[in-house]
Amino acid sequence: MRQGSKSILLLAIVPIISWLSACAPQSPKPPATEQKELRLLYWQAPTILNPHLSNGYKDFEAARITLEPLASFDKNGEMVLFLAAEKPTLENGGLAADATSVTWKLKQGVKWSDGKPFTAADVVFTYEFVTNKDVAANSVGVYENIAKVEAVDDYTVKITFKEPNPAWFLPFTGAEGMILPRHQFEQYQGAKAREAPGNLIPVGTGPYRVVEFKPGDTAVYERNPEFREVANLGFDRLLLKGGGDSTSAARSVLQTGEADYAFNLQIEPQVLQQMQTGGKGKIITSFGPLVERIDINHSDPNHTTPEGERSNVKFPHPFLTDKKVRQALNFAIDRQTIVSQLYGDTGKPTANFLVAPAAYNSPNTSYEFNPQKAAALLDEAGWKDTNNNGIRDKNGVEMKLVFQTSVNPVRQKTQQIIKQSLKTVGIEVELKTIDASIFFSSDPANPDTIARFSADLELYTTGNNSPEPGDYMKTYTCQEIAQKSNNWSGQNFARYCNPTYDALWQKSQTELDPKKREQLFIQMNDMLVKDVEVIPLVNRADAIALNSSIIGLDLTPWDRNTWNIKDWQRQN
Amino acid sequence: MGDVWRQFRRDKMAVVGMGVLAIIILSLLVGPLVYGVPGDEIDFTQASLGPSWQHWFGTNDLGQDQLARVLWGGRISLAVGVSAIALAIFLGVGIGAVAGFCGGVIDTILMRITDLCLALPQLPLLLLVVYLFRDAIKAVAGPEWGIFYLVIFVIGGLNWMPVARLVRAGFLTVRQMDYVAAARSLGASPMRLIWVHILPNAIGPVIVAATLGVGNAIITESTLSFLGLGFPPDVPTWGRMLYEAKDYLDSAPHMAIFPGTVIFLTVLSINYIGDGLRDAIDPKTR
Amino acid sequence: MNRYLIKRLLISIPTLIAISAVIFTVLALAPGDPLGEFATNPSLTAEVRENIRKSLGLDLPIYIRYFKWVGAFLQGDMGYSFNSRSPVSELIIQRLPATLFVVGSAYIVGVLVAFPLGIVSAIKRYSIIDQITTTLGLIWFSLPTFFTGLLVILLFSVQLKWLPSMYDSTLEVRDWASFGAMVKQCILPVGVLGLYQAARLMRFIRASVLEQLNQEYVRTAYAKGLSGMRVIFRHVLRNALIPVVTLVALDVPGVFTGALVTEQVFRVPGIGALLIDSIYRSDTPVVMGITFIYAILIVLFNLVADILYSLLDPRVEY
């Protein structure tokens, strides 16, 4: 018995550890019961509140509550002012006639949440911080064509570009333009940037200020007493909770009512419908630039060069370079079914590569689901089933495709639907799924990445992340082709190359007339779509679940959903 | 061997378990041939239907027949579950037995290697293994068998450590018992000592580990495919079916009930077989 | 015994060095990219990516990174997270209370349920109680925790509305009301995880008690007229504990790394959730930190187990 009790010692270790942990110090918090509280649920939890150092969009959502840019854009692409006092135009002299510089007037009397005044020096500092190589900010792309940023006076900032810039309105606007407080980050300029306390508890000019932040778990916000419209704020306290998965996040809003808001949901319509019967909340969608598309490999993934490179541009794809075959694929895919069964209200079938802002969404294109036409086109191209194995072939080549995408339930179902459709027209498809962290990795050594494209077709989503689509349209230019020679760093995964397209893109970069630029981008889109160089499937909405009593949301694809959180209220 | 079988047959529950498992295996082998409905045909007009004469187990959200999928995917699930655990047990018993029997330096080395394997982070390791070996093994064994071997190798390779620790612990106590010492003094060879005298007395926890392991391996296989490491997404293994059903638990519970039940029945019957086997092997009960 | 202990502790040092080197290499070679989410972001150019990688120290050769890590670790510094840019140790400390509390309690529940049921079902083999615990235990074990977790949420949170489905880490126990809230939010995760552990442990306890019941010394003890309970407690349990101790020693370090699925299902901000997020986002310093602490615990508890063997059964020698 004596020795038996010793063994119980081991079992006692567990309770002791957990008992100790219960005594661990926790920061004091005010009682939350009587306060007006908003509970935000992020299944992808924010891990840092300095957007310029973040590695993911979820951080922008959380940071945007407390940090503001000079201006942003609403769903129509119209400018909305935040820290700027007026929109720079040719008329008010803010914008230079040749678009080589822009001068912003700032709002006066704005204060950071710690009471320090906001001035032009903060804007200049943000520029210096973001462009400092040792800081290694992710948002630097927007600021690269700037020659200098100077404070003309305390409330005037002048940005001079290296060359005429039709996209002059991007720096310091939208989610990538959030202004950092100089006094909080000054000491941490350079390689020390990661040690800045402001990365976790930033001081901001926005409606709510961060009081507590546990990366990957919770963030607590309170009213910012210095905020311009503090009296109109709808809540005393915001509780942002992270973790879990998309479906359970929706459930917490729609069925149990434990949260008021959940973002970035991707849930099948049947499941959502069932949840909405809970009656606690509703689904709100915001259609933006995101297009779920199938990239077509124009190079041969099965040909390996002596250096071991697959999908090299020197070896064109044996049949996907044939326009008729690509058209056949396009006819064989049933966008309508994919949308109605897998996306419901959160997606719209589309034929276009560029869909937003609305003015850029080409009216000249269309899609059609027609397996007969698909089969006819394949016959015409000489692909017939000569050996009666159910698969078309030509010159001894079987029409087999490898179709890859990231691991994601909706994508796997899309894959299965497409596989079945292509089977009926005589094309065999092998499905391949890759963990998202690998598929979307830029690691040049891994053959399974989106850029290496060791398959015939691949499915993913992207879009222009500002109302200015120049960077996005650039992805199909020849210089962007991802190859071993550039460590697969280009964004042109399809390895499409067409000098006519390149010429159009070059033209768009110097064209200052907005109407003419619009036409150029539509022309580029039409080229890609009509020749089926890419198969756009679904224009995907950002879907959020919202408690029925919350009002005031105004979603825009060009900024994070929390951009107007000052207007959110709970209706009684 | 005949002794073992005679003893085994006396255990009613073990025989029932054997029968159930035989039925499951038989239906997996013959079922798809008899039951003519294809499991991969998508038909949204038939989506999420409950069990009926047309679809005995109902249909899933894509309108695919669940019974056909259970039968088709079950071959893989069961084969993976049993082979992977067989591998894990083989490795675990081998390493544990040698360490426990020899002791000393060999024990130290083997157990520290076990510590190392236990400490390795499984997920990054899996990603690495697949990244390094998938194409190589596919080239050798072909795309389907390649993945099959890889999955078995991975699951087996990650589950032998507890078995080794259990077997070694058993050996440490049993090897000092009187009858082992007696056998040793009579000049029994080490192999015979391990196989006949020590192992049967330390096998109980191993059989439990194997039983529970099969269920676990069936689920783990599906986890692997969510990482993009396992079988393609259109192969309906039991674990994957269960996972896909989770969002439909309140609207279409039948999607979960059937795959869940077959996994449970498999584990339960293996459990009773294991239980009976343990008694049959145990020299003391003979 | 003391000599053995010292020897083992000394061997632990090279073991841990080897383990750290292997883990580090695996993590460094494993595919993945901290900037994955921005892969298709057209405004993030190749130079920007390269510069960010450089600032994270990913441009250095693996062995240099490893030696830098070892040097820092010996001074108690586990580096900075790629994602949150805060020290790894701080992140772990933030998550520790919830992990130990929820996963630890679940383990205690598991052990408390498993012991009596396992012993009873071994002694009363094939009785009703044995059949019921076997069947229920195996049902609970056959279903993965992502599934059972969801099931109890649908039942107790959605339908009955008795218990919350979400763990609130800002909740602080100050009075009876908040204590009640704390207990309420723990019931589901602790229940799901605890019963899963219990189902597993119970099978092992049952098997090892059964094994002892047939041993000669037990028969002898009964033959000598000792009472059933006495024999069970004095002889059977002590020997039957050896495999159980082995398993518990393997499981206890797991309390530290948490229960990844259960933590995700109930949004418990534990170390398991941190680990899985960090793996998916290739946040290597965090993964390395957690994994290596886990490795230390593994080595330590296996040592504890080895020592307990010889305390439980004096015949065990090394």
Side-chain angles (χ1 to χ4, degrees):
Chain A
M1 213 54 233
R2 197 179 58 83
Q3 287 188 341
S5 66
K6 270 186 191 163
S7 71
I8 304 299
L9 256 183
L10 178 72
L11 302 176
I13 288 169
V14 186
I16 288 169
I17 293 172
S18 60
W19 173 76
L20 281 174
S21 71
C23 303
Q26 283 180 335
S27 50
K29 268 167 284 327
T33 38
E34 312 82 16
Q35 288 180 311
K36 280 192 273 180
E37 190 182 62
L38 178 71
R39 298 170 73 100
L40 307 163
L41 184 57
Y42 285 75
W43 61 275
Q44 289 161 308
T47 51
I48 188 168
L49 295 183
N50 179 349
H52 300 287
L53 295 182
S54 138
N55 296 338
Y57 296 111
K58 80 268 186 233
D59 302 323
F60 286 73
E61 284 264 336
R64 193 65 185 80
I65 295 172
T66 198
L67 293 173
E68 296 176 301
L70 295 186
S72 196
F73 304 92
D74 67 12
K75 51 180 169 286
N76 305 316
E78 295 299 323
M79 187 178 284
V80 176
L81 301 175
F82 280 83
L83 291 171
E86 60 180 26
K87 177 180 176 178
T89 58
L90 287 170
E91 292 76 40
N92 66 17
L95 178 62
D98 58 356
T100 51
S101 75
V102 58
T103 308
W104 291 89
K105 292 270 179 217
L106 307 182
K107 279 186 182 150
Q108 306 202 0
V110 174
K111 282 182 177 167
W112 296 98
S113 59
D114 58 0
K116 299 254 170 46
F118 160 76
T119 68
D122 293 308
V123 181
V124 175
F125 172 76
T126 301
Y127 170 72
E128 287 164 356
F129 183 83
V130 169
T131 52
N132 187 322
K133 267 220 153 11
D134 295 326
V135 170
N138 62 62
S139 43
V140 64
V142 179
Y143 301 88
E144 272 177 333
N145 50 6
I146 293 177
K148 62 173 191 277
V149 175
E150 53 200 329
V152 177
D153 59 49
D154 269 1
Y155 298 103
T156 313
V157 180
K158 185 177 179 196
I159 307 170
T160 311
F161 298 104
K162 290 174 185 159
E163 48 201 50
N165 185 4
W168 56 266
F169 46 83
L170 289 187
F172 306 116
T173 61
E176 281 161 335
M178 289 183 233
I179 308 292
L180 298 175
R182 184 175 81 155
H183 62 277
Q184 201 188 14
F185 282 91
E186 207 169 22
Q187 292 162 272
Y188 299 96
Q189 170 70 294
K192 278 190 301 181
R194 66 174 182 199
E195 294 165 30
N199 292 336
L200 300 180
I201 312 265
V203 167
T205 52
Y208 297 92
R209 61 174 183 188
V210 190
V211 288
E212 188 190 347
F213 179 52
K214 293 182 188 162
D217 174 26
T218 46
V220 181
Y221 302 77
E222 282 170 2
R223 285 164 181 254
N224 170 6
E226 305 289 348
F227 184 62
R228 309 181 285 283
E229 303 165 45
V230 65
N232 301 335
L233 295 180
F235 301 94
D236 299 311
R237 184 170 184 260
L238 310 185
L239 180 65
L240 187 154
K241 169 88 182 159
D245 63 278
S246 173
T247 314
S248 70
R251 177 171 290 121
S252 304
V253 175
L254 302 175
Q255 285 186 310
T256 64
E258 286 169 281
D260 297 311
Y261 165 97
F263 99 127
N264 194 11
L265 304 175
Q266 204 181 354
I267 304 166
E268 285 132 85
Q270 293 180 38
V271 180
L272 268 187
Q273 243 169 25
Q274 167 80 19
M275 282 186 191
Q276 273 172 304
T277 57
K280 289 252 169 26
K282 55 191 184 249
I283 295 289
I284 294 181
T285 54
S286 148
F287 282 91
L290 294 180
V291 175
E292 181 94 1
R293 82 280 309 280
I294 299 177
D295 263 13
I296 297 174
N297 199 341
H298 288 64
S299 62
D300 188 354
N302 299 318
H303 191 290
T304 311
T305 64
E307 295 84 45
E309 180 177 9
R310 295 170 71 181
S311 300
N312 182 302
V313 274
K314 291 203 196 84
F315 303 98
H317 197 280
F319 49 86
L320 289 178
T321 41
D322 184 340
K323 185 174 160 186
K324 285 194 176 127
V325 174
R326 294 198 305 268
Q327 283 173 324
L329 290 180
N330 199 21
F331 278 125
I333 291 173
D334 187 357
R335 291 174 173 81
Q336 193 57 55
T337 299
I338 293 173
V339 167
S340 60
Q341 296 299 331
L342 305 181
Y343 288 86
D345 298 335
T346 67
K348 288 191 268 200
T350 183
N352 281 336
F353 178 72
L354 176 62
V355 294
Y360 292 103
N361 194 356
S362 168
N364 318 322
T365 57
S366 63
Y367 64 86
E368 184 188 347
F369 170 56
N370 192 333
Q372 289 79 27
K373 271 193 194 168
L377 276 164
L378 290 170
D379 286 341
E380 220 175 289
W383 289 89
K384 289 180 179 133
D385 185 8
T386 57
N387 52 2
N388 279 323
N389 62 349
I391 306 167
R392 290 172 188 268
D393 54 271
K394 182 178 170 183
N395 305 331
V397 180
E398 295 277 319
M399 205 166 221
K400 286 183 182 173
L401 296 169
V402 175
F403 180 17
Q404 68 180 16
T405 189
S406 66
V407 174
N408 168 319
V410 174
R411 290 211 171 113
Q412 265 72 79
K413 285 175 191 168
T414 310
Q415 273 186 312
Q416 289 190 48
I417 294 175
I418 291 175
K419 178 177 176 167
Q420 174 155 313
S421 308
L422 292 182
K423 195 175 159 194
T424 58
V425 298
I427 304 173
E428 186 173 86
V429 179
E430 181 193 328
L431 302 183
K432 190 172 164 190
T433 53
I434 300 153
D435 182 51
S437 68
I438 298 171
F439 189 58
F440 294 117
S441 136
S442 63
D443 177 5
N446 197 307
D448 288 332
T449 61
I450 194 167
R452 292 279 290 262
F453 204 171
S454 315
D456 302 289
L457 304 173
E458 64 186 3
L459 177 73
Y460 64 95
T461 283
T462 186
N464 41 317
N465 49 6
S466 70
E468 153 56 43
D471 276 349
Y472 174 61
M473 298 310 282
K474 187 180 168 194
T475 53
Y476 268 73
T477 57
C478 304
Q479 55 158 336
E480 278 292 311
I481 289 178
Q483 285 292 276
K484 190 179 172 130
S485 50
N486 59 14
N487 252 332
W488 294 279
S489 66
Q491 297 279 319
N492 184 351
F493 311 137
R495 285 120 169 105
Y496 164 76
C497 184
N498 184 341
T500 323
Y501 184 92
D502 283 21
L504 285 173
W505 186 79
Q506 281 304 339
K507 219 169 142 194
S508 76
Q509 287 309 287
T510 47
E511 180 58 67
L512 295 177
D513 179 359
K515 277 286 152 223
K516 285 186 185 154
R517 298 192 80 219
E518 207 174 282
Q519 282 315 309
L520 281 170
F521 287 129
I522 289 182
Q523 218 179 325
M524 292 159 79
N525 172 76
D526 293 354
M527 265 186 84
L528 295 178
V529 171
K530 290 195 169 148
D531 293 345
V532 201
E533 307 296 358
V534 57
I535 306 180
L537 294 178
V538 183
N539 180 8
R540 265 174 61 179
D542 181 16
I544 61 169
L546 191 68
N547 186 290
S548 313
S549 66
I550 306 291
I551 53 165
L553 273 79
D554 179 19
L555 307 184
T556 168
W558 315 118
D559 203 338
R560 307 323 303 174
N561 296 340
T562 49
W563 75 312
N564 76 331
I565 200 160
K566 73 181 171 69
D567 299 328
W568 296 15
Q569 306 273 347
R570 193 184 297 276
Q571 198 179 29
N572 292 319
Chain B
M1 208 54 219
D3 274 357
V4 173
W5 173 237
R6 207 167 308 130
Q7 180 73 28
F8 182 84
R9 250 190 353 205
R10 256 187 255 159
D11 189 334
K12 205 172 60 196
M13 291 311 287
V15 174
V16 171
M18 193 85 135
V20 172
L21 193 64
I23 291 172
I24 292 176
I25 292 174
L26 203 69
S27 29
L28 294 182
L29 292 178
V30 184
L33 307 174
V34 179
Y35 188 74
V37 184
D40 59 345
E41 204 169 279
I42 299 169
D43 181 358
F44 286 108
T45 59
Q46 303 280 308
S48 308
L49 297 180
S52 64
W53 277 115
Q54 207 182 351
H55 302 286
W56 289 7
F57 284 10
T59 60
N60 70 359
D61 53 315
L62 296 179
Q64 295 164 321
D65 184 85
Q66 288 288 83
L67 175 55
R69 287 164 69 79
V70 165
L71 292 173
W72 180 24
R75 293 182 181 190
I76 293 170
S77 286
L78 202 59
V80 164
V82 173
S83 340
I85 293 311
L87 178 65
I89 298 290
F90 175 77
L91 286 174
V93 169
I95 292 171
V98 171
F101 185 78
C102 301
V105 182
I106 294 175
D107 177 40
T108 305
I109 293 173
L110 288 177
M111 283 303 108
R112 297 301 75 78
I113 292 175
T114 312
D115 284 350
L116 169 68
C117 293
L118 279 167
L120 286 177
Q122 300 209 346
L123 210 53
L125 187 69
L126 286 174
L127 295 177
L128 184 63
V129 165
V130 170
Y131 162 53
L132 292 177
F133 301 116
R134 186 180 59 199
D135 290 338
I137 207 161
K138 262 187 180 177
V140 176
E144 277 142 29
W145 285 101
I147 295 176
F148 184 76
Y149 290 137
L150 199 65
V151 167
I152 287 174
F153 170 73
V154 159
I155 299 177
L158 290 175
N159 283 298
W160 61 268
M161 294 82 78
V163 180
R165 295 273 320 167
L166 282 170
V167 171
R168 171 180 170 270
F171 268 53
L172 288 178
T173 52
V174 177
R175 72 169 181 192
Q176 305 295 343
M177 297 223 176
D178 298 341
Y179 63 88
V180 178
R184 198 193 296 258
S185 65
L186 285 173
S189 72
M191 270 314 277
R192 195 177 155 76
L193 273 176
I194 291 179
W195 194 246
V196 178
H197 297 283
I198 308 182
L199 195 56
N201 287 296
I203 204 76
V206 175
I207 284 180
V208 176
T211 313
L212 298 180
V214 172
N216 234 342
I218 290 175
I219 302 296
T220 309
E221 178 281 314
S222 64
T223 322
L224 290 181
S225 39
F226 303 128
L227 295 172
L229 312 180
F231 297 94
D234 47 347
V235 176
T237 59
W238 291 346
R240 174 177 276 277
M241 290 178 73
L242 200 56
Y243 189 84
E244 282 172 353
K246 83 180 168 75
D247 287 347
Y248 299 88
L249 256 187
D250 35 8
S251 58
H254 67 271
M255 275 175 68
I257 290 171
F258 292 105
T261 310
V262 282
I263 297 179
F264 161 68
L265 280 180
T266 309
V267 173
L268 191 71
S269 51
I270 293 178
N271 170 70
Y272 280 118
I273 296 171
D275 228 20
L277 208 58
R278 196 204 63 86
D279 284 346
I281 294 173
D282 193 339
K284 299 178 295 286
T285 52
R286 262 188 247 158
Chain C
M1 197 66 214
N2 280 342
R3 271 192 57 193
Y4 176 71
L5 191 63
I6 291 164
K7 208 174 90 190
R8 276 294 296 272
L9 285 174
L10 286 178
I11 291 173
S12 300
I13 295 167
T15 310
L16 284 172
I17 293 175
I19 291 177
S20 71
V22 173
I23 298 176
F24 198 92
T25 317
V26 167
L27 293 182
L29 294 179
D33 179 359
L35 295 174
E37 198 175 321
F38 290 143
T40 56
N41 184 341
S43 63
L44 217 66
T45 60
E47 297 89 74
V48 178
R49 280 169 206 282
E50 202 37 55
N51 193 36
I52 294 176
R53 284 179 68 81
K54 206 175 136 193
S55 82
L56 299 177
L58 289 171
D59 56 333
L60 300 170
I62 293 175
Y63 65 93
I64 293 186
R65 269 147 63 190
Y66 174 66
F67 286 124
K68 281 176 90 169
W69 180 85
V70 172
F73 186 85
L74 291 177
Q75 294 165 32
D77 172 12
M78 290 192 279
Y80 283 82
S81 150
F82 289 167
N83 276 320
S84 77
R85 314 281 171 129
S86 47
V88 172
S89 45
E90 219 166 83
L91 289 176
I92 293 179
I93 289 168
Q94 263 172 10
R95 301 293 187 109
L96 205 53
T99 313
L100 294 181
F101 187 63
V102 173
V103 185
S105 324
Y107 207 79
I108 296 172
V109 168
V111 170
L112 291 182
V113 172
F115 259 89
L117 287 181
I119 295 170
V120 169
S121 60
I123 299 172
K124 308 263 178 216
R125 195 176 176 193
Y126 293 150
S127 64
I128 296 289
I129 196 165
D130 179 30
Q131 303 286 17
I132 290 175
T133 52
T134 299
T135 311
L136 286 183
L138 288 177
I139 287 182
W140 202 259
F141 188 86
S142 305
L143 296 172
T145 41
F146 73 74
F147 197 85
T148 42
L150 197 64
L151 210 64
V152 296
I153 285 182
L154 284 177
L155 186 62
F156 293 106
S157 303
V158 176
Q159 296 299 330
L160 299 172
K161 303 191 195 319
W162 287 352
L163 299 166
S165 69
M166 234 194 293
Y167 186 93
D168 178 6
S169 63
T170 60
L171 183 78
E172 194 193 350
V173 178
R174 272 175 281 101
D175 45 30
W176 284 111
S178 55
F179 178 75
M182 188 71 186
V183 170
K184 261 176 123 178
Q185 71 174 358
C186 286
I187 291 179
L188 291 185
V190 169
V192 165
L193 195 59
L195 290 181
Y196 184 80
Q197 292 286 6
R200 177 169 156 275
L201 217 48
M202 199 173 75
R203 301 307 304 162
F204 281 103
I205 293 172
R206 179 177 176 276
S208 52
V209 171
L210 271 181
E211 195 137 83
Q212 297 301 324
L213 285 178
N214 288 320
Q215 297 281 8
E216 265 166 65
Y217 71 89
V218 180
R219 295 188 199 164
T220 321
Y222 277 119
K224 278 200 277 182
L226 287 174
S227 80
M229 281 322 245
R230 245 178 104 99
V231 174
I232 297 286
F233 278 103
R234 193 158 226 178
H235 300 282
V236 174
L237 268 191
R238 227 172 78 189
N239 284 305
L241 267 178
I242 286 186
V244 178
V245 161
T246 312
L247 283 172
V248 173
L250 289 175
D251 290 340
V252 170
V255 173
F256 165 76
T257 49
L260 151 182
V261 177
T262 317
E263 284 178 19
Q264 276 208 322
V265 171
F266 297 99
R267 296 202 178 75
V268 179
I271 291 178
L274 176 67
L275 181 64
I276 192 82
D277 279 350
S278 306
I279 290 174
Y280 278 131
R281 296 191 173 274
S282 299
D283 197 343
T284 327
V286 179
V287 181
M288 186 67 202
I290 296 174
T291 319
F292 191 60
I293 295 180
Y294 178 68
I296 296 175
L297 294 175
I298 285 275
V299 170
L300 192 71
F301 277 92
N302 280 344
L303 172 59
V304 171
D306 283 349
I307 291 167
L308 281 176
Y309 294 160
S310 53
L311 294 181
L312 284 170
D313 185 347
R315 284 172 307 188
V316 173
E317 291 162 14
Y318 295 101

